[in-house]
Amino acid sequence: MSSEQQADFDVIAVGAGFAGLSLIHYAREAGLSIRVFDKASDIGGTWTWNRYPGAASDSECYYYCLTFSKELLQDWSWSVRYPGWEENHRYMHFVADRCNMWPHIQLNTQVLAADFQEDTGLWRIRTAGGEFTCRYFISAMGMISEPVIPEFKGMDTFKGPLFHSARWPSEGLDYAGKRIAITGSGATTVQMLPVVAQTAGNVTVFQRTANFIMPAVQKQMTPEWEKEIKANYDAIIAKCRNHVFGMAFDSPVGRTIADTPPDEVQRILEEHWPRGSFRFVFETFDDLLTNPESNRIVGEFVLRKTLEQVNDPDVREMLTPKGYPFFAKRPPLDHGFFPTFNRENVKLVDIGNREPIVEITETGIRTTKQHYEFDIIVLATGFQAYTGGQEALPIRGSNGLLLRDKWEDVSGSIMGVFAAGFPNFFMITGPQAPFANLPVSIEENAIYIVNCIKKMKAEGHDLCVPKAAAEEAWVAETADIHRQTLMAQGDKVHSWMMGANLANRSPRVLIYFGGANVYYDKLRQSAEAGFPEVEFEPLAG
Ligand code: NAP
């Protein structure tokens, strides 16, 4: 190091979920000092905040985990195929305990601001509990962490509990017998509704856009299945690293709908449907996400299989997605969503086409057609994906550039890791990283970032300065790939994946759609080539 200035820590990261834990492991292994701050009172990230009834992972448990320790993989046992938030939370405690990570974690500590200091080359991190400096500042805040709260007229007048789904009261909420409104019908509501409806007095879902939904098919873990998983972990990890979605799936399967007789297509779809999970998309046909006609055939199949579970034809009509192709929005996985609409105590209101919400009142929700009375209102209205965490606090780079301002029109990055204008700043799954099974992407990012820091240490560089040209190239490549996908088709692809759910921002490409496996290769190639996307520099003066 040519810089003399000492920092409190080599690395400060914000966020003690999978990303924070992963960073602690890889940073410590590289001999770096690290402190992870989190405003929550516990580790867990998503699984600390999302405690709504039914919250569970949509990835199968055995590859929704950290893979840096073979011992941990062997020693932890999952109870079900898709663990609920409590079990995921327990797993993360198990990792932190077994790896003695607690000394590196500071909870109940909200980071208020992060500023790059031109003179020292250090980041100054201001928290409610004091100021700290570090050489490398890392956002580990999660890709889907900052809630979007719509501004309904009269929202502050409602007399009962009203909260975002990711802020379900941590002390629990007795909703038995209560009248509940759920606004939104994405993955969160699809998980929440079947559980809440069992004991609530009644539940009304206010839906703006209908979704294509696929079965999850929950299963108990059995001793035989666990044994098989644990005997094959190297292959499972390799499959995840080689899959477009970072999941341990077999693909490509080598057949297309276009080249398969129609009867055989239906037979294969029928055979795969009861297996559940995103496997249905990735283990049936290779062309269903690229060939519009193949996509239409599968979309129709999905609609038939799901809607036939609903008795009322009008509800079926409301639950039918229109104007966008299958998989152009992230399909939720179903744990009993459709039959729940056959219950006496469950109602669906179409606020997209028939009766938009006008206001929230002291006692409920008024649409253009009528007033509905409620005791509890849940806003399952989604998140500011990819950029929300970083934009929620002021992060200032060179010349006081605010990250939030830089991203006003384009949320540009280099591989979701670097942002031009922000030296020695890294993001885990920042904007324009792929959307994939998150623990895999997180670990790949953590390895890449720590390798970059190791190189800087070994070669005595003060600063890692992302190149503007490299960012322009990544933004262009990301946009170009997006144009070729289903997400760019149809006029109703109103997805958080493009930030289309934000009132104050224009839609933009937030995701690298070139495939997680391709992206992981790119990270590896970049590291092997000495990180050509950044300039390594000494401190000025
Ligand atoms: P979401 O998919 O963004 O759904 C939000 C819902 O709220 C949509 O139905 C949206 O309608 C509606 N909405 C938003 N603003 C509204 C407004 N002003 N008025 C009326 N309706 C409004 O959010 P989510 O369900 O929380 O899921 C987000 C993502 O988180 C998922 O796609 C998934 O990746 C992740 N997630 C994962 C899991 C899991 O893996 N287990 C579970 C839950 C969530 P429009 O569709 O019309 O915008």
Side-chain angles (χ1 to χ4, degrees):
M1 283 285 151
S2 57
S3 157
E4 294 300 312
Q5 185 78 31
Q6 289 302 305
D8 295 326
F9 301 98
D10 291 316
V11 174
I12 287 181
V14 195
F18 275 119
L21 300 188
S22 194
L23 272 172
I24 291 172
H25 169 78
Y26 289 103
R28 215 168 43 178
E29 196 181 52
L32 302 168
S33 60
I34 176 165
R35 170 71 51 95
V36 174
F37 293 117
D38 201 303
K39 65 183 174 190
S41 58
D42 204 344
I43 62 168
T46 285
W47 304 110
T48 290
W49 293 106
N50 285 274
R51 293 171 175 225
Y52 57 83
S57 85
D58 273 352
S59 293
E60 294 159 291
C61 58
Y62 61 97
Y63 52 83
Y64 187 75
C65 55
L66 296 170
T67 61
F68 56 71
S69 159
K70 287 193 176 182
E71 249 182 47
L72 293 193
L73 290 172
Q74 294 300 322
D75 291 354
W76 176 258
S77 293
W78 298 102
S79 70
V80 285
R81 186 183 191 187
Y82 305 99
W85 67 264
E86 298 100 323
E87 188 164 344
N88 281 317
H89 206 245
R90 274 200 304 280
Y91 164 74
M92 292 169 91
H93 268 255
F94 162 77
V95 173
D97 290 347
R98 281 284 295 267
C99 300
N100 191 25
M101 290 180 171
W102 293 103
H104 303 279
I105 299 168
Q106 189 170 324
L107 299 170
N108 298 305
T109 305
Q110 178 153 17
V111 172
L112 302 172
D115 294 273
F116 176 67
Q117 311 289 295
E118 306 278 356
D119 52 347
T120 60
L122 303 182
W123 280 86
R124 194 180 64 200
I125 311 301
R126 195 152 54 80
T127 76
E131 259 184 33
F132 303 85
T133 55
C134 62
R135 197 160 289 284
Y136 312 101
F137 176 50
I138 305 181
S139 163
M141 287 184 269
M143 217 196 75
I144 303 180
S145 53
E146 195 63 27
V148 169
I149 315 272
E151 289 179 9
F152 293 119
K153 186 179 156 210
M155 209 154 76
D156 52 352
T157 62
F158 183 65
K159 289 264 165 48
L162 180 156
F163 49 86
H164 189 274
S165 51
R167 297 292 178 270
W168 191 278
S170 54
E171 65 281 12
L173 179 70
D174 181 10
Y175 57 84
K178 299 275 167 47
R179 300 163 301 173
I180 304 177
I182 304 178
T183 305
S185 59
T188 294
T189 298
V190 170
Q191 289 187 335
M192 186 193 308
L193 177 70
V195 182
V196 169
Q198 284 170 29
T199 47
N202 61 61
V203 191
T204 305
V205 175
F206 290 85
Q207 172 190 269
R208 191 165 68 180
T209 309
N211 280 301
F212 290 94
I213 298 171
M214 301 188 303
V217 188
Q218 180 65 296
K219 284 198 289 197
Q220 292 298 309
M221 181 59 68
T222 61
E224 299 72 39
W225 191 20
E226 179 170 346
K227 202 168 155 202
E228 187 194 327
I229 290 166
K230 290 185 173 175
N232 287 296
Y233 248 123
D234 287 346
I236 289 167
I237 293 168
K239 270 189 183 179
C240 290
R241 299 300 191 271
N242 287 320
H243 189 264
V244 288
F245 219 36
M247 295 195 169
F249 295 167
D250 291 316
S251 68
V253 290
R255 66 178 166 229
T256 61
I257 291 180
D259 292 328
T260 307
D263 286 357
E264 182 62 2
V265 168
Q266 292 302 316
R267 192 196 64 72
I268 290 169
L269 294 177
E270 286 284 356
E271 179 184 301
H272 283 258
W273 185 255
R275 295 181 186 171
S277 92
F278 295 105
R279 288 175 188 278
F280 179 74
V281 170
F282 296 104
E283 293 188 347
T284 48
F285 295 100
D286 291 340
D287 62 340
L288 66 90
L289 298 182
T290 48
N291 179 329
E293 178 56 13
S294 304
N295 179 277
R296 188 193 61 72
I297 290 167
V298 177
E300 275 183 7
F301 178 89
V302 171
L303 286 188
R304 182 165 57 76
K305 297 299 278 186
T306 51
L307 296 176
E308 70 186 12
Q309 302 170 51
V310 179
N311 298 339
D312 183 332
D314 192 42
V315 176
R316 279 206 295 272
E317 170 59 23
M318 287 192 272
L319 288 171
T320 306
K322 299 173 186 83
Y324 68 92
F326 171 60
F327 220 75
K329 291 175 72 139
R330 191 280 213 187
L333 291 191
D334 175 19
H335 293 261
F337 180 70
F338 291 96
T340 302
F341 287 101
N342 300 332
R343 295 176 65 108
E344 289 279 304
N345 68 338
V346 174
K347 184 176 171 63
L348 181 65
V349 175
D350 178 348
I351 56 169
N353 304 297
R354 300 185 186 184
E355 45 177 317
I357 292 177
V358 175
E359 62 175 345
I360 294 184
T361 66
E362 283 188 12
T363 57
I365 295 180
R366 188 187 315 286
T367 68
T368 48
K369 287 204 175 143
Q370 72 179 88
H371 186 262
Y372 298 86
E373 300 269 324
F374 296 113
D375 303 308
I376 298 167
I377 297 179
V378 185
L379 302 171
T381 44
F383 299 85
Q384 181 179 352
Y386 285 87
T387 56
Q390 296 91 323
E391 291 191 10
L393 59 124
I395 299 177
R396 281 178 212 280
S398 295
N399 304 313
L401 175 64
L402 198 56
L403 191 56
R404 196 188 290 150
D405 289 347
K406 170 187 163 76
W407 285 344
E408 183 61 37
D409 297 319
V410 177
S411 300
S413 81
I414 304 170
M415 298 188 286
V417 173
F418 302 109
F422 292 77
N424 290 10
F425 170 61
F426 306 85
M427 297 173 285
I428 299 231
T429 63
Q432 304 187 334
F435 180 56
N437 179 35
L438 274 166
V440 178
S441 288
I442 284 169
E443 256 186 294
E444 290 290 319
N445 276 179
I447 292 166
Y448 178 73
I449 291 166
V450 169
N451 276 339
C452 182
I453 295 173
K454 269 160 69 177
K455 177 182 167 73
M456 291 177 70
K457 284 237 170 199
E459 296 176 6
H461 304 296
D462 293 319
L463 299 177
C464 146
V465 181
K467 292 179 187 168
E471 185 172 286
E472 279 161 29
W474 187 254
V475 169
E477 183 178 342
T478 307
D480 190 42
I481 295 171
H482 168 256
R483 266 191 295 278
Q484 300 167 42
T485 67
L486 297 167
M487 283 71 183
Q489 287 179 27
D491 55 353
K492 298 217 172 116
V493 188
H494 186 265
S495 170
W496 58 258
M497 292 191 175
M498 271 77 71
N501 58 336
L502 305 180
N504 58 348
R505 284 285 166 101
S506 55
R508 73 268 324 270
V509 182
L510 285 171
I511 297 182
Y512 173 78
F513 286 111
N517 51 340
V518 175
Y519 168 81
Y520 303 148
D521 285 347
K522 283 179 188 278
L523 291 177
R524 238 162 279 139
Q525 285 155 9
S526 163
E528 277 163 22
F531 304 89
E533 299 82 3
V534 300
E535 211 76 73
F536 292 112
E537 296 178 0
L539 201 57

